[in-house]
Amino acid sequence: MNKNTIIYTIIGVILIIGFLFLAYNLTSTPEKNVVYKETQTLTSSDHIKWSPDKKNLLVEYSDLQCPACKAYHDVIKSQIETASSGAEITKKITFVYRHFPLSQHQYAQPAAYAAEAAGKQGKFYEMIDLIFEAQDSWSKSSNPNEEFVKMAQKLNLDMDKFKKDFDSQEVKNKVNQDYQSGIQAQVRSTPSFYLNGQKLDKVSSFDDFIKLLKEVK
């Protein structure tokens, strides 16, 4: 084996080790009971609902074009927010929605901009509801922004302001701020939920999710 072959072999081994190390860091499960401070600190631009006392924080990182996110949204609406039994959850937990648009969903970012623009007029969660409700439609549209405009009209928003806010750097910065906090909290898929700073990794079903929230003191 000549000198060049040895050098190339060493370089190849180093590259393989580096690749395996990177893959491990990208796919490894976060340590148990790690507290992510990014999900314990609220900002003035966070959108909250349910309990106003902020004693228990449930932070969701979500993608508006993600089918799994829609599924959890529908469960939260039907089994918590509109169900009489859900009051025991909403009275003790403060819910926070944050954007985490995935790169494979080309319309997730504009959908987030639409929600934030509606939020400028106090209709953030109302717009979230409409966006998820029509997800199958606008996600297949060649021009989803037209559908977001129709949703804004349905909410009786000031349309000039909505369109201006939709295109504003402030709204784009807010969505990016949410995304970056998700990166810091090691979000790897959507939806990802954090309860009082701890990631809910072991929730395997909707029933487990509801049960866990009901057990919060």
Side-chain angles (χ1 to χ4, degrees):
M1 183 179 291
N2 61 40
K3 184 177 180 180
N4 286 339
T5 301
I6 294 174
I7 292 174
Y8 291 144
T9 300
I10 293 173
I11 292 174
V13 170
I14 292 173
L15 289 174
I16 291 172
I17 292 173
F19 173 80
L20 292 174
F21 179 78
L22 177 62
Y24 172 80
N25 279 298
L26 289 175
T27 60
S28 59
T29 302
E31 293 180 41
K32 186 177 181 181
N33 297 327
V34 170
V35 174
Y36 296 94
K37 63 181 181 180
E38 297 80 11
T39 67
Q40 289 186 302
T41 304
L42 299 183
T43 70
S44 59
S45 61
D46 271 320
H47 301 282
I48 68 172
K49 61 179 178 178
W50 301 358
S51 173
D53 64 18
K54 304 172 187 176
K55 177 184 176 182
N56 296 297
L57 290 180
L58 177 65
V59 178
E60 177 187 10
Y61 287 92
S62 177
D63 174 316
L64 289 165
Q65 198 175 346
C66 161
C69 296
K70 172 177 166 45
Y72 265 92
H73 171 268
D74 292 348
V75 167
I76 288 172
K77 290 293 292 184
S78 64
Q79 297 190 35
I80 298 179
E81 295 182 342
T82 60
S84 57
S85 60
E88 64 179 293
I89 293 175
T90 59
K91 71 181 181 182
K92 62 185 177 182
I93 294 177
T94 302
F95 181 87
V96 185
Y97 182 101
R98 289 180 180 170
H99 304 284
F100 198 83
L102 301 174
S103 59
Q104 63 264 38
H105 293 151
Q106 62 176 325
Y107 298 142
Q109 278 196 336
Y113 299 158
E116 287 298 325
K120 292 290 186 182
Q121 299 185 51
K123 297 291 185 178
F124 177 80
Y125 281 110
E126 290 84 349
M127 179 61 90
I128 289 287
D129 289 344
L130 292 179
I131 290 173
F132 271 130
E133 182 181 321
Q135 185 190 78
D136 190 57
S137 174
W138 61 261
S139 63
K140 297 176 182 177
S141 172
S142 60
N143 189 359
N145 291 359
E146 289 184 353
E147 297 204 37
F148 300 145
V149 166
K150 291 178 182 177
M151 294 175 196
Q153 291 171 333
K154 187 174 182 179
L155 294 174
N156 296 316
L157 301 184
D158 179 326
M159 295 310 300
D160 288 337
K161 177 172 173 54
F162 174 80
K163 292 175 182 178
K164 181 179 179 181
D165 288 334
F166 180 93
D167 291 326
S168 71
Q169 191 60 48
E170 181 181 358
V171 158
K172 292 178 173 62
N173 289 345
K174 169 60 170 68
V175 173
N176 185 59
Q177 175 185 309
D178 283 0
Y179 183 83
Q180 293 303 321
S181 74
I183 293 294
Q184 293 298 313
Q186 297 188 39
V187 173
R188 294 191 176 92
S189 61
T190 57
S192 285
F193 292 92
Y194 295 76
L195 181 60
N196 294 330
Q198 294 190 353
K199 192 172 185 179
L200 303 184
D201 278 325
K202 303 302 180 183
V203 177
S204 58
S205 69
F206 295 138
D207 288 341
D208 287 346
F209 179 69
I210 299 297
K211 181 175 182 292
L212 186 151
L213 297 184
K214 286 183 176 180
E215 291 173 350
V216 173
K217 302 300 182 182

